[in-house]
Amino acid sequence: MDEALLRSLTPSVLGILVRRGADFAAAEDAVQEALVEAVRTWPADPPRDPKGWLVTVAWRRFLDATRADTARRRREDLVDEEPPPGPAPTVDDTLQLYFLCAHPSLTPSSAVALTLRAVGGLTTRQIAQAYLVPEATMAQRISRAKRTVSGARFERPGDVATVLRVLYLVFNEGYSGDVDLAAEAIRLTRQLAARVDHPEVAGLLALMLIHHARRASRTAPDGSLVPLAEQDRGRWDTGAIAEGVRILQGALARDRLGEFQAQAAIAALHADAPTAEQTDWVQIVEWYDELVLLTDSPVVRLNRAVAVGEADGPRAGLAALAALDDALPRHSAVAAYLHERDGDVVAAARLYAEAARKAPNLAERDHLTRQAARLNSAHRSR
């Protein structure tokens, strides 16, 4: 069973059902049922036209649900509209679905959550982690969003800012999470940049390109994480970095700074340094100061503490960290790194072990566990 194929076909099939008159919530339920049926039957009897098969089965599931609460005449009209057998038209509806999910009747946070779940393919757990809320809370938020848009008309798509937020979170999950969605997020952001002339769209595309350019060096052959300072910069995609920097420079020249442009500027400074030791940390702190003003995000403040520790010394970084809630994700990992830089090996080892227990994925947990073991071994050998 090719799960990647199913995931890639889902947005297009969902878009076809919505265009044929299905309200979004019902269409999503029907597509999910069709995917379950595909997982059950395709291994033994793979279809010649996977997309056409999914459209037909999903439409029938939608009709079955509709028949329970609609009039006979309407049911007969819908049956007459059933897609004919044969190849389905090749239309990429994904970006349009992102806009449809960003419905004006939803709050931005609910629209983002709904899109990530329905179109982005992320689990409720992954979305909850991105929002720093319990999984049960996120499940309720997504359910409320579905109820809100159920039966709503979709002729008024949502705003660009909400779509950008969704694309950013999809990229982040693809870049560091369990599902590889980063390339798809870049593809859709390119499409959006071609349609919308806005510096923040360009800023997000630049940010994605520069981060993605370093991807090959982020893991060792055994799958373990390689920190930025230890990465082989010869493996970075210089073409993607150059494109990202060019796009960023054009966006910054318009003097309408936004958070994605600021993040891209930080990424560009890392990419521009020939070695980790030559990184311009002072300028990176200045960009983090801009980001704090733009977002007041605790995660931004956490990353800023690392940059302050590099620019002004680990004790300055620890002082910046002390003002933050220690329940923040990766707070323990940052504290461990700064304590190690300050020479407190015992505290650093303890904090690395604590961070490992809280790690959101296996690769990060293994990396932090190795860091703790390394410091414990060094301490014992003294």
Side-chain angles (χ1 to χ4, degrees):
M1 169 57 57
D2 190 342
E3 294 183 6
L5 173 62
L6 287 176
R7 195 160 53 245
S8 68
L9 292 175
T10 297
S12 183
V13 175
L14 184 57
I16 290 172
L17 265 64
V18 170
R19 289 203 308 275
R20 289 183 175 275
D23 69 73
F24 186 86
E28 189 204 358
D29 290 341
V31 172
Q32 292 300 319
E33 290 185 22
L35 293 174
V36 170
E37 184 68 10
V39 171
R40 187 181 70 82
T41 63
W42 284 13
D45 185 22
R48 286 177 294 181
D49 177 20
K51 180 178 177 180
W53 188 98
L54 286 171
V55 169
T56 300
V57 172
W59 185 253
R60 287 173 179 166
R61 293 294 188 272
F62 168 69
L63 293 180
D64 289 343
T66 302
R67 290 191 183 99
D69 53 17
T70 57
R72 178 180 177 81
R73 179 59 62 88
R74 180 57 181 155
R75 294 200 306 268
E76 292 173 351
D77 290 342
L78 287 170
V79 171
D80 291 340
E81 295 170 9
E82 180 176 332
T90 302
V91 179
D92 185 357
D93 296 295
T94 309
L95 189 58
Q96 181 63 19
L97 284 171
Y98 273 61
F99 274 97
L100 295 181
C101 285
H103 197 270
S105 61
L106 295 174
T107 63
S109 61
S110 294
V112 170
L114 176 63
T115 314
L116 290 173
R117 181 71 187 92
V119 188
L122 274 65
T123 66
T124 303
R125 176 184 60 80
Q126 290 170 321
I127 302 169
Q129 289 175 345
Y131 270 89
L132 310 181
V133 300
E135 184 173 347
T137 301
M138 183 53 65
Q140 292 175 353
R141 184 179 300 178
I142 293 172
S143 295
R144 285 196 300 270
K146 286 183 178 180
R147 288 195 298 271
T148 299
V149 301
S150 180
R153 296 182 64 82
F154 281 92
E155 71 274 9
R156 292 191 304 137
D159 64 358
V160 172
T162 300
V163 174
L164 285 177
R165 176 62 50 191
V166 175
L167 289 168
Y168 174 68
L169 291 173
V170 169
F171 177 82
N172 279 349
E173 191 60 44
Y175 190 67
S176 61
D178 303 322
V179 182
D180 187 355
L181 298 167
E184 173 68 357
I186 291 174
R187 183 182 72 84
L188 293 174
T189 306
R190 283 191 186 279
Q191 287 186 10
L192 184 60
R195 298 184 192 182
V196 179
D197 183 21
H198 192 287
E200 273 293 82
V201 177
L204 179 58
L205 179 56
L207 174 64
M208 289 179 174
L209 289 169
I210 296 170
H211 274 313
H212 205 60
R214 302 198 301 255
R215 188 165 191 181
S217 63
R218 291 184 70 245
T219 54
D222 62 0
S224 60
L225 290 181
V226 180
L228 176 61
E230 300 172 17
Q231 289 176 14
D232 178 0
R233 298 181 180 225
R235 300 183 65 197
W236 290 0
D237 184 344
T238 55
I241 292 172
E243 181 187 5
V245 169
R246 176 181 56 78
I247 292 170
L248 172 63
Q249 288 172 338
L252 291 175
R254 301 175 67 174
D255 199 23
R256 292 166 57 192
L257 184 64
E259 64 173 299
F260 296 124
Q261 295 168 72
Q263 287 193 53
I266 293 170
L269 286 167
H270 283 296
D272 186 56
T275 66
E277 293 73 23
Q278 293 173 277
T279 303
D280 188 346
W281 286 107
V282 172
Q283 193 174 169
I284 287 175
V285 171
E286 292 173 356
W287 277 111
Y288 271 121
D289 290 339
E290 294 284 353
L291 259 181
V292 169
L293 292 174
L294 289 165
T295 68
D296 196 28
S297 163
V299 175
V300 170
R301 291 181 182 274
L302 185 69
N303 292 332
R304 179 184 177 278
V306 176
V308 169
E310 297 289 353
D312 301 326
R315 294 196 178 181
L318 287 168
L321 188 65
L324 302 176
D325 185 351
D326 61 9
L328 275 173
R330 298 185 172 88
H331 184 284
S332 298
V334 171
Y337 174 74
L338 291 172
H339 276 290
E340 181 182 359
R341 288 278 318 280
D342 196 38
D344 191 345
V345 175
V346 174
R350 174 180 55 79
L351 287 163
Y352 275 130
E354 178 182 316
R357 291 192 293 272
K358 300 176 181 177
N361 56 66
L362 183 60
E364 191 168 334
R365 186 192 71 189
D366 289 347
H367 171 71
L368 293 166
T369 300
R370 283 194 295 272
Q371 296 294 87
R374 173 180 58 81
L375 293 184
N376 283 325
S377 176
H379 179 67
R380 286 193 299 268
S381 64
R382 286 181 177 178

